[in-house]
Amino acid sequence: MLVNKEITSVELTQDVLSRIDEVEGDVEAYLTVTREEALAQAEAVDKKIAAGEAISFLEGIPGAIKDNICTKGVKTTCASKILEHFVPPYDATVMTKIKAENPVILGKVNMDEFAMGGSTENSAYHVTHNPWNLDCVPGGSSGGSAAAVAAGTAIWALGSDTGGSIRQPASFCGVVGMKPTYGRVSRYGLVAYASSLDQIGPLTRDVTDCANLLNIIAGHDEMDSTSSAAEVPDYTKSLVEDVKGLKIGLPKEYFVEGMDPEVEQAVRTAIKKYEELGAEVVEISLPHTEYAISTYYLIAPAEAATNLERYDGVSYGERVDGEDLVQMMTNTRDEKFGEEVKRRIMIGNYALSAGYYDAYYLKALKVRTLVQQDYTEAFKKVDVIMAPTAPTPAFKIGEMIADPLQMYLQDVCTVPLNLAGLPGISIPCGKSSKGLPIGLQIIGKPLAEETLIRTAYTYEQSQDYHKQMPELGGKH
């Protein structure tokens, strides 16, 4: 529509900003809205179009950024009081790549503090609500990103995924969310939670937007030593409807006891649809899946405890004074970190402490290797693996916050991918009887994002979930 001059970028941006004004009071997806900057960016694109210049896919299109991705000159808080006034002096690599495309950036969206949580209830500022049912969580930790896209208060968003933090909120909010292969997208400028697990990825309304966004953010970065040097293909070439002969692995371990029957039904119905479209289903086993959660909740907190040492009231961030240096650091961390962050720091330091390192952390690293080997074996027989993204649809706000173990178990289907560094995408595949979205997770081999996009796109085109919007503010 922009290219055809049916609308201007300013009109589009004003429309999305008025949508924010209309529903943000209910959804609360944003932490910072950069209204004036967004309109200035839109005006610049309109001038370009008026001058007859060609524009790229993202140019003039409004989107939102998770608040743990550094944005030069715009507050980046990680939804924590300890970074309440932190304004980065530089852009994350993904922001440099995104800005080169001249999009409209609407602001920063809410998350669980330092990306620790699965419901966006751990934000130090406010709880984000699921646009499909305001009494429910949007998932986490990229809940603000998913909720904004679902509510129409952003056309696209960036999130980060350490144990399912893009895919699970995408599932809960009925949008598309992809965690690329570890290293496919630079982590430079992503505020670290668990460095060997974190990965930035897109949240969009459909698979086409996901492929286009991935084209922009993927690629090698010399500022990130873990970044993959593999060439980046054009992911939009994978937007074809074709799964004939595709071998789909169905791991018995992912259809776990306690899974919501409506979730299992929706996922199995989607897999049947794949069979109708010409794919072949193969039963597989990933025997070490049952240890993945325990492994993740040793490795991730251990890395988090180390990464969060830097917030000591000295270099940057907030400070709470004390009688001496130790007291100042203690007061700062005690007052400014939330409960979940403190819990994970303590678990991590315990796992790394003398006498426990071998028993816990080292053992977890060995089990991580076994989880990776399970996938390597499975992918000798199949092209992709399919499973539910989350064992339930979105749960009620407050339902699990007092029971962290119950919350951790929500990650049972998503965590193994991060341990193995594999790519995964969540696409909507149904609704519960209460009208809450259900997500299908498609898992690929390392750097097989093209296969995931083709597989997801083929199913999406046979459905209309990507065209559905929640009823908010009295209109769709």
Side-chain angles (χ1 to χ4, degrees), residues 295-354:
T295 303
Y296 174 85
Y297 279 103
L298 280 167
I299 292 172
E303 293 186 17
T306 307
N307 279 325
L308 268 60
E309 278 177 12
R310 68 193 73 169
Y311 304 103
D312 53 10
V314 178
S315 309
Y316 59 92
E318 301 301 298
R319 171 184 291 187
V320 179
D321 288 329
E323 290 169 22
D324 55 24
L325 185 66
V326 173
Q327 196 58 52
M328 180 275 290
M329 286 182 180
T330 305
N331 291 349
T332 299
R333 290 167 74 81
D334 186 41
E335 241 180 79
K336 298 297 182 181
F337 279 144
E339 291 299 309
E340 185 60 33
V341 172
K342 288 179 194 169
R343 185 181 292 120
R344 296 197 195 192
I345 289 171
M346 288 193 289
I347 292 170
N349 280 326
Y350 182 80
L352 292 172
S353 58

Side-chain angles (χ1 to χ4, degrees), residues 241-439:
E241 293 180 60
D242 179 20
V243 289
K244 287 184 183 65
L246 185 86
K247 286 200 164 94
I248 297 170
L250 225 53
K252 55 182 186 208
E253 293 83 1
Y254 277 44
F255 293 87
V256 291
E257 201 181 324
M259 177 171 288
D260 186 299
E262 290 186 328
V263 169
E264 182 164 351
Q265 179 63 44
V267 168
R268 290 196 184 277
T269 303
I271 289 164
K272 274 203 185 76
K273 182 71 190 171
Y274 273 109
E275 287 187 285
E276 287 169 27
L277 294 165
E280 181 190 334
V281 173
V282 181
E283 285 280 333
I284 59 164
S285 177
L286 299 166
H288 294 95
T289 299
E290 63 176 302
Y291 308 111
I293 290 275
S294 315
T295 303
Y296 174 85
Y297 279 103
L298 280 167
I299 292 172
E303 293 186 17
T306 307
N307 279 325
L308 268 60
E309 278 177 12
R310 68 193 73 169
Y311 304 103
D312 53 10
V314 178
S315 309
Y316 59 92
E318 301 301 298
R319 171 184 291 187
V320 179
D321 288 329
E323 290 169 22
D324 55 24
L325 185 66
V326 173
Q327 196 58 52
M328 180 275 290
M329 286 182 180
T330 305
N331 291 349
T332 299
R333 290 167 74 81
D334 186 41
E335 241 180 79
K336 298 297 182 181
F337 279 144
E339 291 299 309
E340 185 60 33
V341 172
K342 288 179 194 169
R343 185 181 292 120
R344 296 197 195 192
I345 289 171
M346 288 193 289
I347 292 170
N349 280 326
Y350 182 80
L352 292 172
S353 58
Y356 295 106
Y357 182 92
D358 289 358
Y360 292 114
Y361 184 67
L362 198 60
K363 197 171 277 184
L365 292 181
K366 289 176 180 173
V367 178
R368 180 180 192 167
T369 303
L370 295 175
V371 170
Q372 288 168 332
Q373 286 171 356
D374 282 355
Y375 281 115
T376 304
E377 283 305 306
F379 280 124
K380 287 177 182 172
K381 304 183 197 110
V382 298
D383 302 305
V384 296
I385 293 169
M386 288 190 190
T389 307
T392 65
F395 46 88
K396 287 271 174 74
I397 291 169
E399 192 180 320
M400 290 192 196
I401 199 72
D403 187 352
L405 280 179
Q406 193 59 37
M407 188 84 86
Y408 295 171
L409 290 171
Q410 279 284 319
D411 299 340
V412 64
C413 299
T414 52
V415 151
L417 272 74
N418 298 78
L419 292 172
L422 299 175
I425 190 169
S426 177
I427 55 171
C429 71
K431 294 260 177 63
S432 73
S433 51
K434 292 180 180 165
L436 289 164
I438 293 168

Side-chain angles (χ1 to χ4, degrees), residues 22-28 127-129 134 472-473:
E22 183 186 12
V23 304
E24 181 58 17
D26 292 329
V27 178
E28 296 190 278
V127 174
T128 297
H129 300 254
L134 296 169
L472 271 172

Side-chain angles (χ1 to χ4, degrees), residues 141-164:
S141 61
S142 307
S145 304
V149 172
T153 56
I155 311 291
W156 56 271
L158 289 185
S160 69
D161 192 310
T162 308

Side-chain angles (χ1 to χ4, degrees), residues 70-73 76 86-93 95-96 188-191:
C70 284
T71 43
K72 186 177 180 178
T76 300
F86 176 61
V87 177
Y90 70 101
D91 271 323
T93 296
M95 291 311 301
T96 306
Y188 179 74
L190 172 69
V191 178

